[in-house]
Amino acid sequence: MRRRLRTVTVALSLALPVAACGGGADGSTELPPGPAAASAPLATPSATAAGDPVLASYLRFWSAVIAANRAADPSLASLRTAAADPELSRVRATVSRNKVQKLSLRGDVGHTPQQATVRGATATIEDCYDISGWNPVRLDTGQPIEATDESGTGRYRARYTLRRSATGWLVVNHTALGSC
């Protein structure tokens, strides 16, 4: 049985490097193991985000991350409108590293976010996101890159911090919480 790699670099910097393509020496870290949770249905972004500007901004961030990875373009404008440093720099560094390694990520990411907690100009969202359908491919051919599962199911829990800006909410950081 073949399984895909589920190593998440730079404390869940939102990309999947291939094991043969690096990790470790560049400061990357694997997601710490956590207890497995019962499978929950993935949230539908449009239905979940309706009326919640923080959640809508969080899901917009993921859309930008997916688009930047698909295009292998760390300077994609939608990243700047959805994230700020240090998260913006982490995502850009990962997309850049993948581009140098001639790989891209294709597919979808599922979400089961919790309701946002807002305190002044800061908000947090915990999400169990599912990257099992977001797979590495060769940039030149679009062909899948074979890899082995190293650390999980493709479902990971993280807490994302957002900051209010003049244009809305921006993802500024995240903390890995284990698998879900």
Side-chain angles (χ1 to χ4, degrees):
M1 177 177 177
R2 291 185 182 179
R3 296 168 75 182
R4 298 207 192 303
L5 173 71
R6 291 295 167 233
T7 301
V8 182
T9 64
V10 193
L12 291 176
S13 62
L14 311 173
L16 304 176
V18 176
C21 296
D26 64 355
S28 65
T29 58
E30 284 189 20
L31 183 69
S39 292
L42 297 178
T44 304
S46 58
T48 305
D52 185 342
V54 175
L55 184 55
S57 295
Y58 169 72
L59 294 172
R60 187 179 72 242
F61 163 75
W62 270 98
S63 293
V65 168
I66 291 167
N69 277 285
R70 174 176 283 284
D73 183 0
S75 64
L76 197 68
S78 61
L79 284 174
R80 238 182 359 266
T81 63
D85 284 330
E87 195 68 25
L88 178 60
S89 291
R90 282 189 202 116
V91 172
R92 285 180 168 168
T94 300
V95 174
S96 293
R97 184 173 44 253
N98 288 346
K99 185 176 181 177
V100 166
Q101 296 173 359
K102 298 185 179 5
L103 69 93
S104 174
L105 296 163
R106 307 282 168 87
D108 295 312
V109 176
H111 298 276
T112 52
Q114 302 295 314
Q115 184 172 354
T117 301
V118 179
R119 289 188 178 93
T122 302
T124 58
I125 291 181
E126 276 193 28
D127 187 11
C128 175
Y129 62 94
D130 184 346
I131 56 174
S132 60
W134 199 35
N135 300 301
V137 298
R138 290 179 46 149
L139 265 176
D140 57 349
T141 65
Q143 294 299 309
I145 296 172
E146 292 297 322
T148 58
D149 188 318
E150 287 198 355
S151 66
T153 63
R155 292 174 52 95
Y156 302 102
R157 182 166 302 288
R159 181 179 304 113
Y160 290 83
T161 303
L162 294 86
R163 183 180 64 225
R164 190 185 322 258
S165 73
T167 59
W169 292 93
L170 301 173
V171 174
V172 295
N173 212 341
H174 74 270
T175 302
L177 302 174
S179 61
C180 49

